[in-house]
């Protein structure tokens, strides 16, 4: 039987988090595990609690929620031997989906976690990111983006209505009205991409934004990042290409390129276009460019 630190996001899945969290606790206790509740009123407070508990001899950290909770868990256990269990109960479960983990099914998630505890878990890549001039880094496991979608995400976070995906549609309309192409300089292992552009996404996993297949060939255990860049679309072009991205069709567009690298320096280039929006990774705000991101092969152990 294991000693598990469980972090629940009460707001995940449109407010269903508390109920799902209670079901996870009950299921783990029923199966004889010791459960330590590490949930807190905010993401930052929950991260701090989980970090503190991680050094007290837990067998795993288990997060309950969406991609934001996977982000939290990754930032606690990446580059350590402590494994991460995921009970996917968010509105966006892109990382769980990419890993083939159950979604919205507590019993199946608990079985997957126990399977991982018994078999030792699965190693996947994690990505460190931070300002190039400082050594401070945070981790992500899904996709980092500093393109148009990041501007939409930031705008949606300032809105209180409507709820769910309708909020993103409203934010998209608002951002499209003021959209001008951004100026980028991206320095990869073997190439430099300097261009006006609409999209710059650094993908460790193939899907983000609640099902957008941004980097169809990205693998979470290949030691590589798939960098998806798109040239300067018009507003009409954005509207034309965006819906196809849910099926990964955008990569066929001549203005879209997919590059591969282990390390990438993302910088604004004001000569080429507007300052790109602050980056989001796993749906959480990271910060403005410049940013340096680097993949760490096998740095995260996931149960399941
Ligand atoms: N007590 C809390 N613990 C953790 N995260 C919280 C808490 N309260 C609010 N949040 C917020 O919840 C967001 C993450 O939600 P998560 O990804 O787990 O679920 P979700 O339903 O998929 O969310 P969304 O679709 O809104 O991104 C974070 O941005 C975080 O700031």
């Amino acid at each position: 039987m294991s000693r598990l630190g469980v972090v629940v996001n009460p707001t995940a899945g449109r407010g269903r988090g508390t109920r799902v969290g209670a079901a996870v606790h009950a299921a783990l206790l029923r199966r004889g595990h010791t459960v330590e509740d590490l949930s807190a009123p905010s993401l930052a407070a929950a991260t701090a609690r989980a970090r503190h508990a991680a050094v007290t001899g837990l067998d795993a950290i288990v997060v309950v929620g969406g991609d934001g909770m996977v982000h939290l868990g990754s930032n606690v256990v990446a580059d350590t031997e402590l494994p991460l269990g995921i009970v996917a109960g968010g509105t966006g479960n892109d990382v769980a989906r990419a890993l083939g983990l159950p979604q919205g099914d507590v019993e199946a998630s608990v079985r997957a976690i126990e399977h991982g505890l018994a078999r030792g878990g699965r190693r996947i890549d994690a990505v460190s990111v931070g300002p190039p001039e400082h050594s401070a880094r945070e981790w992500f496991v899904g996709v980092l983006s500093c393109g148009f979608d990041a501007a939409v995400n930031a705008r949606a976070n300032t809105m209180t209505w409507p709820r769910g995906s309708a909020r993103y549609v409203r934010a998209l309309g608002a951002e499209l009205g003021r959209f001008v192409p951004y100026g980028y300089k991206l320095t990869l292992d073997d190439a430099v991409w300097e261009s006006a552009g609409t999209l710059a996404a650094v993908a460790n996993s193939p899907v983000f934004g609640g099902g957008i297949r941004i980097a169809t060939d990205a693998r979470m255990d290949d030691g590589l990042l798939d960098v998806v860049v798109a040239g300067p679309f018009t507003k009409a072009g954005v509207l034309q290409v965006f819906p196809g991205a849910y099926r990964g069709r955008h990569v066929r567009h001549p203005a879209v390129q997919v590059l591969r690298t282990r390390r990438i320096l993302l910088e604004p280039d004001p000569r080429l276009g507007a300052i790109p929006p602050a980056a989001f990774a796993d749906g959480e705000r990271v910060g403005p460019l410049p940013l340096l991101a680097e993949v760490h092969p096998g740095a995260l152990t996931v149960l399941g």
Side-chain angles (χ1 to χ4, degrees), residues 187-222:
T187 307
L188 294 85
D189 292 341
D190 309 315
V192 177
W193 189 73
E194 278 176 292
S195 177
T198 310
L199 175 75
V202 180
N204 186 42
S205 73
V207 188
F208 85 142
I212 300 173
R213 299 193 60 76
I214 186 73
T216 41
D217 295 331
R219 297 282 170 270
M220 296 177 84
D221 55 5
D222 62 356

Coordinates of all heavy atoms in Angstrom, one line a residue, residues 187-222:
T187 N 15.7 30.7 -32.3 CA 17.0 30.0 -32.5 C 16.9 28.6 -32.0 O 16.7 28.3 -30.8 CB 18.1 30.8 -31.8 OG1 18.0 32.1 -32.2 CG2 19.4 30.2 -32.2
L188 N 16.9 27.6 -33.0 CA 16.8 26.2 -32.7 C 18.2 25.6 -32.7 O 19.2 26.3 -33.0 CB 15.9 25.5 -33.7 CG 14.4 25.9 -33.6 CD1 14.2 27.2 -34.4 CD2 13.5 24.8 -34.2
D189 N 18.3 24.3 -32.5 CA 19.7 23.6 -32.5 C 20.4 23.9 -33.9 O 21.6 24.2 -33.9 CB 19.5 22.1 -32.4 CG 19.0 21.7 -31.0 OD1 19.1 22.5 -30.1 OD2 18.5 20.6 -30.8
D190 N 19.7 23.7 -35.0 CA 20.3 23.8 -36.3 C 19.7 24.8 -37.2 O 20.0 24.7 -38.4 CB 20.2 22.4 -37.0 CG 20.6 21.3 -36.2 OD1 21.7 21.4 -35.5 OD2 19.9 20.3 -36.1
A191 N 18.9 25.7 -36.7 CA 18.2 26.7 -37.6 C 17.8 27.9 -36.9 O 17.7 27.9 -35.6 CB 17.0 26.0 -38.3
V192 N 17.6 29.0 -37.6 CA 17.1 30.2 -37.0 C 15.8 30.6 -37.9 O 15.9 30.6 -39.1 CB 18.1 31.4 -37.0 CG1 17.4 32.6 -36.5 CG2 19.3 31.0 -36.2
W193 N 14.7 30.8 -37.2 CA 13.5 31.2 -37.9 C 13.2 32.7 -37.5 O 12.9 32.9 -36.4 CB 12.3 30.3 -37.6 CG 11.1 30.6 -38.4 CD1 10.9 30.2 -39.7 CD2 9.8 31.2 -38.0 NE1 9.6 30.6 -40.1 CE2 9.0 31.2 -39.1 CE3 9.4 31.8 -36.8 CZ2 7.7 31.7 -39.0 CZ3 8.1 32.3 -36.7 CH2 7.3 32.3 -37.9
E194 N 13.4 33.6 -38.5 CA 13.2 35.0 -38.2 C 12.1 35.4 -39.2 O 12.3 35.4 -40.4 CB 14.4 35.8 -38.5 CG 15.4 35.8 -37.4 CD 16.7 36.6 -37.9 OE1 17.4 36.1 -38.7 OE2 16.9 37.7 -37.3
S195 N 10.9 35.8 -38.6 CA 9.8 36.1 -39.5 C 8.7 36.9 -38.8 O 8.6 36.8 -37.5 CB 9.2 34.8 -40.0 OG 8.1 35.0 -40.8
A196 N 7.9 37.6 -39.5 CA 6.6 38.0 -39.0 C 5.7 36.7 -39.0 O 5.9 35.8 -39.8 CB 5.9 39.0 -40.0
G197 N 4.9 36.6 -37.9 CA 4.2 35.3 -37.8 C 2.9 35.4 -36.9 O 2.7 36.4 -36.3
T198 N 2.1 34.4 -37.0 CA 0.9 34.3 -36.3 C 0.9 33.3 -35.1 O 0.3 33.5 -34.1 CB -0.2 33.8 -37.3 OG1 -0.2 34.6 -38.4 CG2 -1.6 33.9 -36.6
L199 N 1.8 32.3 -35.3 CA 1.8 31.2 -34.3 C 3.2 30.7 -34.1 O 4.0 30.6 -35.0 CB 1.0 30.0 -34.9 CG 1.0 28.7 -34.1 CD1 0.1 28.9 -32.9 CD2 0.5 27.6 -35.0
A200 N 3.6 30.5 -32.8 CA 4.9 29.9 -32.5 C 4.6 29.0 -31.3 O 4.3 29.5 -30.2 CB 5.9 30.9 -32.2
A201 N 4.6 27.7 -31.5 CA 4.2 26.8 -30.4 C 5.4 25.7 -30.3 O 5.9 25.2 -31.3 CB 2.9 26.0 -30.8
V202 N 5.8 25.5 -29.1 CA 6.8 24.5 -28.8 C 6.1 23.3 -28.1 O 5.6 23.4 -27.0 CB 7.8 25.1 -27.8 CG1 8.9 24.1 -27.5 CG2 8.4 26.4 -28.4
A203 N 6.1 22.2 -28.9 CA 5.2 21.1 -28.5 C 6.0 19.9 -28.0 O 6.8 19.3 -28.8 CB 4.3 20.7 -29.7
N204 N 5.7 19.5 -26.8 CA 6.3 18.2 -26.3 C 5.2 17.1 -26.5 O 5.5 15.9 -26.8 CB 6.6 18.3 -24.8 CG 7.2 17.1 -24.2 OD1 8.1 16.5 -24.9 ND2 6.8 16.7 -23.0
S205 N 3.9 17.5 -26.5 CA 2.8 16.6 -26.8 C 2.0 17.1 -27.9 O 2.1 18.3 -28.3 CB 1.9 16.4 -25.5 OG 1.2 17.6 -25.3
P206 N 1.2 16.3 -28.6 CA 0.6 16.7 -29.9 C -0.6 17.7 -29.7 O -0.9 18.4 -30.7 CB 0.2 15.4 -30.5 CG 0.1 14.4 -29.4 CD 1.1 14.9 -28.4
V207 N -1.3 17.7 -28.6 CA -2.6 18.4 -28.5 C -2.5 19.4 -27.4 O -1.9 19.3 -26.4 CB -3.7 17.3 -28.1 CG1 -5.0 17.9 -28.2 CG2 -3.6 16.1 -29.0
F208 N -3.2 20.6 -27.7 CA -3.4 21.6 -26.6 C -4.7 22.3 -26.8 O -5.4 22.0 -27.8 CB -2.2 22.5 -26.6 CG -2.2 23.7 -27.5 CD1 -1.7 24.9 -27.1 CD2 -2.6 23.6 -28.8 CE1 -1.7 26.0 -28.0 CE2 -2.6 24.6 -29.7 CZ -2.1 25.9 -29.3
G209 N -5.0 23.2 -25.9 CA -6.2 24.0 -26.1 C -7.5 23.3 -26.1 O -8.5 23.7 -26.8
G210 N -7.6 22.1 -25.4 CA -8.8 21.3 -25.4 C -9.1 20.6 -26.7 O -10.2 20.6 -27.2
G211 N -8.0 20.1 -27.3 CA -8.3 19.2 -28.5 C -7.7 19.7 -29.8 O -7.9 19.1 -30.8
I212 N -6.9 20.8 -29.8 CA -6.3 21.3 -31.0 C -5.1 20.4 -31.3 O -4.1 20.4 -30.5 CB -5.9 22.8 -30.9 CG1 -7.2 23.6 -30.6 CG2 -5.2 23.2 -32.2 CD1 -6.9 25.1 -30.3
R213 N -5.0 19.8 -32.5 CA -3.9 18.9 -32.8 C -2.8 19.7 -33.4 O -2.6 19.6 -34.6 CB -4.4 17.7 -33.7 CG -5.4 16.9 -33.0 CD -5.7 15.6 -33.8 NE -4.5 14.8 -33.9 CZ -4.0 14.0 -32.9 NH1 -4.6 14.0 -31.7 NH2 -2.9 13.3 -33.1
I214 N -2.1 20.5 -32.6 CA -1.2 21.5 -33.1 C 0.1 20.9 -33.7 O 0.6 21.4 -34.7 CB -0.8 22.4 -31.9 CG1 0.1 23.6 -32.4 CG2 -0.1 21.7 -30.7 CD1 -0.6 24.6 -33.2
A215 N 0.5 19.7 -33.1 CA 1.8 19.1 -33.6 C 1.5 17.6 -33.7 O 1.9 16.8 -32.8 CB 2.9 19.4 -32.6
T216 N 0.9 17.2 -34.8 CA 0.4 15.9 -34.9 C 1.4 14.8 -34.7 O 1.1 13.7 -34.2 CB -0.2 15.7 -36.3 OG1 0.6 16.3 -37.3 CG2 -1.6 16.3 -36.4
D217 N 2.7 15.0 -35.0 CA 3.7 14.0 -34.8 C 4.5 14.1 -33.6 O 5.5 13.3 -33.4 CB 4.7 14.1 -36.0 CG 4.0 13.7 -37.3 OD1 3.0 12.9 -37.3 OD2 4.4 14.2 -38.4
A218 N 4.2 15.1 -32.7 CA 5.0 15.2 -31.4 C 4.8 13.9 -30.6 O 3.7 13.4 -30.4 CB 4.5 16.4 -30.7
R219 N 5.9 13.5 -30.0 CA 5.9 12.3 -29.1 C 6.5 12.8 -27.8 O 7.5 13.5 -27.7 CB 6.8 11.2 -29.7 CG 6.3 10.6 -31.0 CD 5.1 9.7 -30.8 NE 4.5 9.4 -32.1 CZ 3.5 10.1 -32.7 NH1 3.0 11.1 -32.1 NH2 3.0 9.7 -33.8
M220 N 5.9 12.3 -26.7 CA 6.4 12.7 -25.4 C 7.6 11.9 -24.8 O 8.0 12.2 -23.7 CB 5.2 12.6 -24.4 CG 4.1 13.6 -24.7 SD 2.7 13.4 -23.7 CE 3.2 14.5 -22.4
D221 N 8.1 11.0 -25.7 CA 9.3 10.3 -25.2 C 10.4 10.2 -26.3 O 11.1 9.2 -26.3 CB 8.9 8.9 -24.7 CG 8.1 8.1 -25.8 OD1 8.0 8.6 -26.9 OD2 7.6 7.0 -25.5
D222 N 10.4 11.2 -27.2 CA 11.4 11.1 -28.3 C 12.6 12.0 -28.0 O 13.5 12.1 -28.9 CB 10.8 11.4 -29.6 CG 10.2 12.8 -29.7 OD1 10.2 13.5 -28.6 OD2 9.7 13.2 -30.7

